[in-house]
Amino acid sequence: MNNRGYVIVVYLSIVSIYLIGAFTLIWWILSSKSLNQEATLGVIVSLILLPVGALLFKPIRNRMEVLIDGLLISAHIDKSIYRILIFFLFLSGKTTFIKTAFTVADTDINMRSTQNFNSYQFRSFLQGIDRKSTEVAIADYKGQDLLQVILNAPQDFFGAPGSRVLNAIIFIVDLVPRKSDRFGNPFNDEALLEWLKSGNMLDIIRARVQEHHEYINEASLQLLFGSLHSQNLKRVIFVINKIDLIDRLIDNGYLTVSNFPNATEYAKHHFKGMIENVFGVCQALGIEDFSNSDSLVFIVSARSRDELSPLIVRLLGTRS
């Protein structure tokens, strides 16, 4: 029996004890041959206890309804599906990541949308693993409000609080913000590079990294994992996106990274503290060792199938 089951047992025990006491008191009153002093006192006590009991039972009843609803959801939710949350700051390349990464996995993506979440469910076939398949579901939330993940997490995807069924979380960050023209159309790569070259490139990169640090930090990680963690959460992956743009800036001489051997190490350096925070939370919760950055931190272009293929194998390979 899980914690939710124990809570329900305790609540039912309290209700049973109260009802037994109330009915015993009423029986004693009714069985009295005359309303003597003790019986009169009993009537008064019963008149007091019954409304008090009603007041006490209302929050208990509400709590029990929530718990029972949660248990019913947990009983019917398909636990064979591998469920993934993508956690990101707006405009980090999440949509491109989903379309490219799971095209590698030969998926037929079906999207279902709610007020705060989009979810995708499909059967994934992993190349190089004897074409074994696994049922995969991905959730990403609309907007940047962390409370949408915590307070509005749909239970038919994540499971009920206390009985979560989430299997993996993918964090996505980037070094370069997306830029749009005056009509709201996103810049293509050439226009984005020209915009970067014309401004203070280092300040732009630092500002973007700071946005990520303000969003994904020790406090928000505690809230996120506190809401969604369970023994089912086994995999956490960290993705640094848009490395292709950094490579081009370096190759063309617009960005110097002399203190680092390559663009990959340059990118990883900017998120070192964040990666350590994720590792710390995972270690505290007993989630798989996150310290091996070669296997759980990926620096990629979300448009490159070749770069995302090892990530998908690492994410789903042991599941297939």
Side-chain angles (χ1 to χ4, degrees):
M1 183 185 297
N2 59 23
N3 290 337
R4 295 167 63 80
Y6 284 119
V7 171
I8 289 179
V9 169
V10 171
Y11 282 162
L12 290 176
S13 299
I14 294 172
V15 172
S16 299
I17 292 171
Y18 178 85
L19 291 176
I20 290 172
F23 281 118
T24 300
L25 179 61
I26 293 172
W27 174 84
W28 175 71
I29 294 170
L30 294 176
S31 63
S32 298
K33 294 182 178 180
S34 63
L35 287 178
N36 54 26
Q37 185 176 4
E38 290 80 5
T40 303
L41 179 62
V43 172
I44 296 173
V45 171
S46 65
L47 291 175
I48 295 174
L49 287 182
L50 288 176
V52 170
L55 290 174
L56 290 175
F57 286 162
K58 185 175 182 180
I60 292 176
R61 185 178 67 249
N62 292 341
R63 177 64 174 163
M64 286 182 63
E65 288 175 353
V66 172
L67 289 171
I68 292 171
D69 287 344
L71 287 175
L72 291 174
I73 291 170
S74 298
H76 290 89
I77 199 166
D78 189 347
K79 298 179 180 64
S80 68
I81 298 175
Y82 194 74
R83 298 174 188 274
I84 304 165
L85 169 68
I86 297 185
F87 193 78
F88 60 98
L89 184 64
F90 198 51
L91 303 179
S92 299
K94 171 268 306 177
T95 301
T96 302
F97 172 85
I98 292 175
K99 290 181 178 179
T100 306
F102 293 97
T103 299
V104 173
D106 295 340
T107 58
D108 179 17
I109 295 178
N110 297 310
M111 187 180 79
R112 185 164 56 89
S113 182
T114 64
Q115 180 178 356
N116 297 305
F117 282 81
N118 289 325
S119 62
Y120 310 80
Q121 186 171 328
F122 46 81
R123 180 159 291 278
S124 171
F125 296 88
L126 296 183
Q127 299 176 359
I129 312 182
D130 300 326
R131 302 297 293 171
K132 293 181 179 180
S133 65
T134 186
E135 195 76 16
V136 174
I138 297 175
D140 72 83
Y141 61 99
K142 304 171 182 177
Q144 304 178 55
D145 188 356
L146 178 63
L147 292 179
Q148 289 182 8
V149 182
I150 297 172
L151 299 179
N152 299 314
Q155 294 186 18
D156 59 347
F157 184 94
F158 294 99
S163 301
R164 298 298 197 187
V165 293
L166 184 67
N167 302 113
I169 298 176
I170 301 176
F171 294 93
I172 300 181
V173 298
D174 61 4
L175 289 168
V176 179
R178 192 168 76 175
K179 184 71 174 175
S180 301
D181 62 24
R182 60 192 181 92
F183 300 107
N185 301 313
F187 281 178
N188 59 26
D189 281 0
E190 299 304 324
L192 184 58
L193 289 170
E194 288 300 319
W195 172 71
L196 289 169
K197 295 172 188 176
S198 64
N200 190 323
M201 191 181 312
L202 293 179
D203 284 347
I204 292 173
I205 291 174
R206 275 194 290 266
R208 181 59 173 172
V209 171
Q210 182 60 31
E211 284 182 326
H212 287 293
H213 279 281
E214 290 174 356
Y215 190 64
I216 304 176
N217 51 54
E218 190 172 1
S220 64
L221 289 171
Q222 293 290 344
L223 291 172
L224 178 69
F225 281 90
S227 172
L228 300 180
H229 173 259
S230 75
Q231 62 181 1
N232 296 304
L233 181 57
K234 300 295 186 183
R235 183 82 78 215
V236 176
I237 285 178
F238 194 92
V239 177
I240 303 175
N241 190 23
K242 303 180 186 176
I243 194 62
D244 53 322
L245 295 176
I246 300 300
D247 277 327
R248 290 184 63 178
L249 290 170
I250 293 172
D251 292 343
N252 293 332
Y254 293 102
L255 181 63
T256 302
V257 292
S258 56
N259 294 331
F260 304 93
N262 51 48
T264 295
E265 293 302 318
Y266 173 79
K268 191 183 295 185
H269 167 77
H270 282 82
F271 296 101
K272 180 181 178 181
M274 188 182 298
I275 293 170
E276 290 175 350
N277 284 337
V278 174
F279 166 62
V281 175
C282 291
Q283 188 177 48
L285 294 173
I287 301 173
E288 125 178 55
D289 187 0
F290 191 79
S291 61
N292 185 353
S293 60
D294 290 336
S295 64
L296 294 170
V297 178
F298 292 83
I299 296 90
V300 300
S301 166
R303 290 178 295 189
S304 171
R305 296 183 180 182
D306 290 340
E307 292 180 20
L308 295 186
S309 183
L311 185 158
I312 296 303
V313 171
R314 187 74 178 89
L315 180 68
L316 301 179
T318 56
R319 179 74 177 188
S320 299

